[in-house]
């Protein structure tokens, strides 16, 4: 331990208390020993430091800060340097505002594009996500504060996120849902990691000895681990297994529980000392540097614009309609042109320092713009007058510049999407505009994939993602040709959501969320099953062309030449995939194992190298409980996307010689990649066990990990009435396109969460009393509740 002398001077009560927060955003100080309070703040898309009363959902006002592109947008840049620059931008904001821990990056694997927080995560591919997150972490921590990698782990849905159990086999966990964290943590070296809300194979992640063993023992992580806000299940078990900080503060309730557990022998004080030591290391080192200098908002804004430009993806460009002729008569249509959609909603929402809007900027770049029509309501409601106005304007123009996208309510913390479509009113408008003018350039703003049955009705399509506060100018610079687009998709755009295997199993709507598709997420499924998609993983066009040649393979990696054969400078993202055609152990057709982004002037040629690393040929063997290598003649593929393979070679690998763990198992559906209706026998064989019941047992009493949602079958009629009222309000807000995040949080919170999110006003005993009341014991439970209110635990004043 690093702080043995200081810890020896702390009382047991002080040690128990410092591991639980002071309030929503601060750790507890120990003033008599000079241990300061440390500030934490949300931050994946920019600093969200709340100016007044704190809350977790972004409901109350926050201070001005730089809003950077979302993680899903940064991922389209395929460049750790872009991620590092954006990390440095928000790290500077945090340091200037005296924040010591910035809660980002979010790097969960994008299992389903319908996840409400998909915009906060990088990619469906763990290798790409890990490399970008490592860069982002380095950028944040270059300001001498701490990044916080989240949400560890297998957190793939917002529905019932504090209750749901992610059920998957160990190979899927290691290869798809932990490799991203492994790369980010071992290469980025964050000082903090945040656990996720969900269970993993029956155990809450915050008290999973299995996950902590991987994190601390296998990866050598020695920083602090903090809960997601309200994500502590058992404070004592969390501390025992590896948690250092429960947030937000729960009054003295948690601390008293830990003191009693130590004194009764349930947990050794030496374990508490270790957790305190790990926490103190972050507090003391980050607080020692003090607040940083004030940032230059203009300089920050310029960096955001440059990053956004490099992350824009050109998806379609028929007849080379782009870049636009600056003298063309352009009609601008779409609500998103009037009010930019540049970030997601929820706890990541930033009070942006300076937001560019499209319409004021357009006139300087395109002086012959003939007008603007809103075209549609932001929320999906019909407005024939707006539609007619837009069609009339389109008929007068040479080019229609159409701004479309997902409304804010479609992509938000606390609520998953129910479909992958654009709002119906936008789809209808596209159809009508295409009849009036065939020259439509569509600009798409959203943080995850959408279905595009309307693609043939537009001449060009540019995907801006959620580009941050400078998104509008960045997009116009690409449309005008001042910037050549070079981004590529970090996730697959399927033809339709129901063509993805996860659509059959997502979201888990009751007790568990079964990851039956296993390792076949995103392009791993589509390439293996040979299914067509709208746009493949790694896809993106340019205003120029690139040629690949001269592939050379060695034990260290691959070398090849890229030439810009077009007339303008541009950037190409070359991708390394590997495959094993004669594999005995089922695996994806190809897997990303490296990438490089290269700038080339017109006519320039350059030799580039992508190295092999420890991730290149490995797979996780569930029998040896380790990563192994299957021997064989591997395909080495260099592509402009996962489908556009430009160079091919082979490389013989000896392998580690371990036996096929699936040889005698009934898992043929995984071998054949037939995943739409996986039988229980195959999934259970893959798991190595029969999982717990998938649905709720409505005949059993509710327990502390059951949610307010489950009051629908509570024994108490008053509880059922509460459920009816709340569910009605939730649905009404969703139907109006303005989901109530606070209500959604409450709706999905377990009873135990009441004791974790109310600053000590409700204790664990009181939450148990409320659960007891809902189970049909209203009067006795109410009596206990009143009694326990007046018995709320308190640490002795002299030992706080």
């Amino acid at each position: 331990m690093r702080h043995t002398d200081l810890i020896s001077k702390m009382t047991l009560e002080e040690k128990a208390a410092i591991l639980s927060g002071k309030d929503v955003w601060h750790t507890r100080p120990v003033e008599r020993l000079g241990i300061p309070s440390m500030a934490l703040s949300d931050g994946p898309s920019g600093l969200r430091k709340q100016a007044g009363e704190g809350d977790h959902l972004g409901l109350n006002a926050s201070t001005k800060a730089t809003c950077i592109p979302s993680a899903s947008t940064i991922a389209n840049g395929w460049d750790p340097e872009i991620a590092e620059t954006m990390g440095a931008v928000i790290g500077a904001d945090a340091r200037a505002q005296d924040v010591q821990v910035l809660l980002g990056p979010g790097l969960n694997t994008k299992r389903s594009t319908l996840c409400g927080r998909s915009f906060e995560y990088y990619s469906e591919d763990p290798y790409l996500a890990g490399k970008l997150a490592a860069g982002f972490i380095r950028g944040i921590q270059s300001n001498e504060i701490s990044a916080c990698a989240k949400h560890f782990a297998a957190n793939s849905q917002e529905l019932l996120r504090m209750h749901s159990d992610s059920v998957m086999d160990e190979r899927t966990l290691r290869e798809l849902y932990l490799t991203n964290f492994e790369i980010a943590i071992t290469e980025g070296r964050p000082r903090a990691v945040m656990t996720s809300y969900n269970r993993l194979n029956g155990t809450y992640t915050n008290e999973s000895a299995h996950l902590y063993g991987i994190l601390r023992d296998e990866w050598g992580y020695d920083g602090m681990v903090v809960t997601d806000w309200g994500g502590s299940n058992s404070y004592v078990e969390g501390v025992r297994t590896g948690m250092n900080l429960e947030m937000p503060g729960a009054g003295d309730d948690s601390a008293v529980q830990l003191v009693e557990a130590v004194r009764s022998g349930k947990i050794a004080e030496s374990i508490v000392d270790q957790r305190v030591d790990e926490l103190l290391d972050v507090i003391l080192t980050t607080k020692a540097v003090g607040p940083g200098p004030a940032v230059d908002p203009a300089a920050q804004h310029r960096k955001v614009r440059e990053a956004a430009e490099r992350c824009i993806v050109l998806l379609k460009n028929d007849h080379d309609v782009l870049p636009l002729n600056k003298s063309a008569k352009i009609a601008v249509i779409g609500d998103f042109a009037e009010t930019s959609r540049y970030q997601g909603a929820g706890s990541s929402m930033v009070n942006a320092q300076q937001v560019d809007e499209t319409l004021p900027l357009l006139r300087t770049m395109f002086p012959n713009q003939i007008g603007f029509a809103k075209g549609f309501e932001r929320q999906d409601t019909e407005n024939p007058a707006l539609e007619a106005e837009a069609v009339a304007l389109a008929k007068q123009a040479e080019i229609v510049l159409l701004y479309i996208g997902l409304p804010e309510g479609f992509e938000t913390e606390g609520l998953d999407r129910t479909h992958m479509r654009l709002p119906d009113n936008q789809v209808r408008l596209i159809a009508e505009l295409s009849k009036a003018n065939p020259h439509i350039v569509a600009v798409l703003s959203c943080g995850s994939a959408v279905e595009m049955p309307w693609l043939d009705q537009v001449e060009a399509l540019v995907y801006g993602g959620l580009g941050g506060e400078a998104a509008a100018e960045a997009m116009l610079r690409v449309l005008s040709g001042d910037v050549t687009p070079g981004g590529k998709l970090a996730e697959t755009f399927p033809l339709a959501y129901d063509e993805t295997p996860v659509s059959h199993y997502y979201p888990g709507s009751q007790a568990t969320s079964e990851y039956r598709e296993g390792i076949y997420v995103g392009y791993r499924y589509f390439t293996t099953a040979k299914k067509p998609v709208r746009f493949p993983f790694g896809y993106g066009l340019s205003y120029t062309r690139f040629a690949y040649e001269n592939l050379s393979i060695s034990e260290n990696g691959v070398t090849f030449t890229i030439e810009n054969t077009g007339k303008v400078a541009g950037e190409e993202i070359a991708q390394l995939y590997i495959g094993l055609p004669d594999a005995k152990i089922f695996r994806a057709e190809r897997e990303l194992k490296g990438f490089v982004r290269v700038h080339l002037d017109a006519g320039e040629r350059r030799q580039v190298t992508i190295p092999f690393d420890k991730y290149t040929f490995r797979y996780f063997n569930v029998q040896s409980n380790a990563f192994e290598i299957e021997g064989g003649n591997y395909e080495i593929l260099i592509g402009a996307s996962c489908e556009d393979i430009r160079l091919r070679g082979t490389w013989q690998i000896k392998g580690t010689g371990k036996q096929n763990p699936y040889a005698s198992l009934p898992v043929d559906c995984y071998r054949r990649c037939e995943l739409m209706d996986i039988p229980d026998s195959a999934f259970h064989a893959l798991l190595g066990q029969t999982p717990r019941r998938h649905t709720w047992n409505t005949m059993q009493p509710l327990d502390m990990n059951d949610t307010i949602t489950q009051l629908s079958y509570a024994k108490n009629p008053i509880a059922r009435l509460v459920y009816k009222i709340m569910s009605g309000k939730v649905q009404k807000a969703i139907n109006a396109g303005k989901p109530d995040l606070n209500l959604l949080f409450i709706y999905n919170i377990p009873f135990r969460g009441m004791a974790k999110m109310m600053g000590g006003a409700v204790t664990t005993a009181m939450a148990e009393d409320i659960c007891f009341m809902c189970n049909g014991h209203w009067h006795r439970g109410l009596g206990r509740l009143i009694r326990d209110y007046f018995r709320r635990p308190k640490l002795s004043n002299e030992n706080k």
Side-chain angles (χ1 to χ4, degrees):
M1 296 200 305
R2 296 184 178 94
H3 307 284
T4 304
D5 183 60
L6 183 57
I7 293 171
S8 69
K9 298 174 183 176
M10 297 176 71
T11 67
L12 174 59
E13 287 80 0
E14 286 170 336
K15 290 185 284 189
I18 201 172
L19 300 178
S20 184
K22 171 187 174 184
D23 53 30
V24 178
W25 297 115
H26 298 87
T27 61
R28 295 200 198 203
V30 183
E31 294 176 357
R32 72 179 187 87
L33 296 175
I35 299 173
S37 175
M38 178 177 71
L40 302 89
S41 180
D42 276 314
S45 298
L47 177 69
R48 190 181 71 83
K49 181 182 180 183
Q50 290 185 293
E53 186 177 353
D55 74 90
H56 175 49
L57 298 174
L59 303 177
N60 294 329
S62 58
T63 58
K64 289 279 188 179
T66 312
C67 182
I68 66 171
S70 68
S72 63
T73 305
I74 290 173
N76 293 335
W78 286 67
D79 189 344
E81 289 187 4
I82 296 175
E84 187 166 344
T85 300
M86 291 299 93
V89 163
I90 65 171
D93 277 357
R95 174 85 182 278
Q97 297 192 37
D98 201 21
V99 169
Q100 285 73 51
V101 178
L102 199 61
L103 303 178
L107 60 145
N108 294 85
T109 299
K110 297 173 78 163
R111 180 191 180 209
S112 170
T113 192
L114 298 191
C115 175
R117 299 179 81 170
S118 203
F119 66 90
E120 286 191 48
Y121 304 139
Y122 291 104
S123 179
E124 67 190 31
D125 183 86
Y127 186 87
L128 177 59
K131 290 291 184 178
L132 296 175
F136 195 76
I137 291 164
R138 289 191 294 269
I140 290 174
Q141 296 191 162
S142 68
N143 293 279
E144 298 183 275
I145 65 168
S146 173
C148 181
K150 64 181 188 181
H151 305 91
F152 186 67
N155 177 217
S156 301
Q157 67 181 60
E158 290 299 285
L159 180 67
L160 297 169
R161 61 182 181 171
M162 298 177 79
H163 168 83
S164 184
D165 184 2
S166 298
V167 178
M168 69 184 75
D169 65 287
E170 187 69 11
R171 181 185 176 194
T172 295
L173 173 66
R174 292 299 194 101
E175 292 186 14
L176 269 293
Y177 298 97
L178 290 186
T179 293
N180 43 352
F181 281 96
E182 179 181 2
I183 295 170
I185 289 166
T186 58
E187 296 183 12
R189 308 302 298 175
R191 306 296 304 276
V193 169
M194 180 190 290
T195 54
S196 55
Y197 282 130
N198 54 286
R199 295 177 174 101
L200 174 62
N201 292 328
T203 303
Y204 276 103
T205 61
N206 189 59
E207 52 199 61
S208 170
H210 181 50
L211 285 179
Y212 282 116
I214 294 169
L215 176 68
R216 294 196 183 277
D217 299 335
E218 292 189 25
W219 301 344
Y221 178 71
D222 62 357
M224 62 173 267
V225 175
V226 59
T227 69
D228 202 342
W229 266 232
S232 173
N233 175 42
S234 166
Y235 186 62
V236 173
E237 287 306 308
V239 170
R240 186 196 309 280
T241 50
M243 177 200 79
N244 303 99
L245 181 61
E246 174 190 74
M247 290 297 288
D252 288 347
D253 190 33
S254 295
V256 169
Q257 292 174 29
L258 186 55
V259 168
E260 291 175 350
V262 171
R263 288 176 174 162
S264 66
K266 292 181 180 178
I267 182 172
E269 190 169 355
S270 60
I271 295 175
V272 177
D273 291 347
Q274 181 65 44
R275 300 295 167 257
V276 172
D277 185 73
E278 292 155 353
L279 176 61
L280 284 177
D281 202 48
V282 179
I283 293 174
L284 298 177
T285 54
T286 57
K287 287 293 290 187
V289 298
V295 300
D296 178 352
Q300 298 276 83
H301 189 80
R302 183 179 64 254
K303 291 176 183 178
V304 170
R305 191 207 73 214
E306 291 169 351
E309 290 169 355
R310 299 183 70 204
C311 297
I312 289 171
V313 186
L314 179 61
L315 293 176
K316 181 179 181 181
N317 193 20
D318 287 358
H319 314 118
D320 290 329
V321 65
L322 292 176
L324 293 173
N325 184 335
K326 292 185 180 181
S327 63
K329 292 171 59 179
I330 296 174
V332 183
I333 296 173
D335 181 65
F336 290 84
E338 184 174 47
T339 306
S340 294
R341 171 86 204 286
Y342 60 93
Q343 66 173 325
S347 63
S348 67
M349 185 176 289
V350 179
N351 184 7
Q353 186 75 246
Q354 174 189 336
V355 180
D356 291 342
E357 293 294 356
T358 299
L359 295 181
L361 294 168
L362 260 170
R363 187 68 66 185
T364 60
M365 292 190 178
F366 300 100
N368 290 335
Q369 172 200 340
I370 65 170
F372 165 73
K374 186 174 181 179
F376 56 86
E377 300 283 0
R378 190 80 152 207
Q379 308 309 327
D380 192 8
T381 56
E382 292 188 27
N383 192 323
L386 289 181
E387 187 176 299
E389 178 191 21
V391 170
L393 182 64
K395 290 178 179 178
Q396 305 171 39
E398 294 175 344
I399 298 288
V400 173
L401 190 52
L402 175 62
Y403 281 74
I404 56 177
L406 294 178
E408 288 80 355
F410 278 43
E411 296 183 289
T412 179
E413 179 176 4
L415 184 68
D416 299 309
R417 282 198 280 166
T418 57
H419 59 77
M420 213 177 85
R421 303 184 300 275
L422 285 180
D424 291 340
N425 60 355
Q426 294 186 42
V427 175
R428 191 166 51 248
L429 177 65
I430 294 169
E432 293 304 312
L433 290 175
S434 69
K435 298 173 187 176
N437 190 326
H439 305 299
I440 299 174
V441 174
V443 174
L444 178 64
S445 297
C446 54
S448 49
V450 295
E451 295 175 5
M452 298 180 181
W454 42 265
L455 185 64
D456 291 342
Q457 297 168 349
V458 301
E459 194 168 19
L461 176 61
V462 190
Y463 179 40
L466 301 176
E469 63 179 43
E473 184 179 3
M475 178 58 69
L476 289 173
R477 283 170 54 80
V478 167
L479 295 173
S480 68
D482 291 345
V483 173
T484 297
K488 298 199 175 188
L489 294 178
E491 65 178 307
T492 305
F493 276 50
L495 290 169
Y497 181 64
D498 62 10
E499 295 187 10
T500 66
V502 71
S503 66
H504 293 246
Y505 317 112
Y506 183 96
S509 60
Q510 293 195 18
T512 67
S513 179
E514 296 185 339
Y515 288 51
R516 291 197 175 215
E517 70 280 357
I519 62 171
Y520 296 106
V521 171
Y523 75 90
R524 283 170 164 78
Y525 166 72
F526 290 107
T527 57
T528 307
K530 296 177 171 54
K531 300 288 186 181
V533 298
R534 183 68 68 187
F535 295 114
F537 175 80
Y539 174 87
L541 302 175
S542 175
Y543 295 157
T544 187
R545 303 286 188 273
F546 299 96
Y548 292 61
E549 60 183 7
N550 300 330
L551 174 64
S552 175
I553 308 171
S554 73
E555 63 182 10
N556 296 318
V558 297
T559 300
F560 53 96
T561 300
I562 304 178
E563 180 180 2
N564 182 344
T565 59
K567 298 179 180 179
V568 297
E571 294 185 334
E572 174 66 332
I573 299 166
Q575 301 150 44
L576 164 66
Y577 297 89
I578 65 102
L580 185 58
D582 298 322
K584 300 295 187 297
I585 299 161
F586 70 81
R587 64 194 306 156
E589 176 81 8
R590 61 192 63 132
E591 299 170 76
L592 180 74
K593 296 299 179 180
F595 56 91
V596 62
R597 182 165 183 150
V598 183
H599 177 90
L600 295 170
D601 292 329
E604 183 182 0
R605 292 166 54 92
R606 185 179 302 175
Q607 187 179 75
V608 297
T609 296
I610 302 177
F612 295 153
D613 57 30
K614 71 175 186 178
Y615 305 102
T616 304
F617 300 105
R618 75 179 195 177
Y619 76 96
F620 191 81
N621 188 298
V622 295
Q623 284 185 349
S624 66
N625 194 36
F627 282 100
E628 306 288 355
I629 296 175
E630 182 177 3
N633 201 27
Y634 281 80
E635 280 192 317
I636 307 299
L637 311 170
I638 306 299
S641 78
C642 73
E643 294 288 359
D644 183 9
I645 303 302
R646 303 292 185 88
L647 301 171
R648 293 176 180 268
T650 59
W651 189 252
Q652 188 72 34
I653 294 293
K654 182 179 180 181
T656 52
K658 297 296 181 181
Q659 292 185 343
N660 179 0
Y662 309 111
S664 60
L665 298 181
V667 291
D668 286 347
C669 57
Y670 292 101
R671 296 188 183 98
R672 297 191 299 265
C673 198
E674 296 174 355
L675 307 174
M676 295 302 187
D677 189 18
I678 295 171
D680 288 348
S681 58
F683 183 55
H684 296 174
L686 192 69
L687 289 176
Q689 61 181 338
T690 300
R692 73 188 187 100
R693 181 180 174 134
H694 183 55
T695 57
W696 292 322
N697 186 345
T698 59
M699 302 305 294
Q700 291 295 316
L702 298 169
D703 64 35
M704 287 288 283
N705 286 318
D706 288 329
T707 66
I708 305 302
T709 309
Q710 293 166 261
L711 294 181
S712 59
Y713 61 84
K715 300 296 188 291
N716 190 290
I718 298 176
R720 294 196 298 273
L721 177 62
V722 169
Y723 164 78
K724 185 176 181 180
I725 294 170
M726 286 191 64
S727 61
K729 288 184 175 182
V730 166
Q731 196 58 51
K732 183 179 179 180
I734 292 172
N735 292 342
K738 297 180 180 179
D740 186 325
L741 301 185
N742 192 41
L743 193 59
L744 281 167
F745 190 86
I746 295 170
Y747 191 60
N748 285 286
I749 200 171
F751 287 96
R752 65 173 169 82
M754 299 177 189
K756 302 299 183 181
M757 291 297 291
M758 299 185 70
V762 174
T763 65
T764 300
M766 292 168 65
E768 290 172 346
D769 298 335
I770 295 170
C771 184
F772 187 63
M773 292 165 66
C774 293
N775 280 324
H777 309 287
W778 186 262
H779 293 98
R780 277 196 293 158
L782 182 59
R784 292 182 183 180
L785 181 63
I786 295 170
R787 177 200 66 194
D788 289 330
Y789 175 80
F790 290 103
R791 292 182 178 178
R792 285 176 295 173
K794 290 288 184 181
L795 293 171
S796 58
N797 289 331
E798 65 272 17
N799 289 324
K800 271 194 175 181

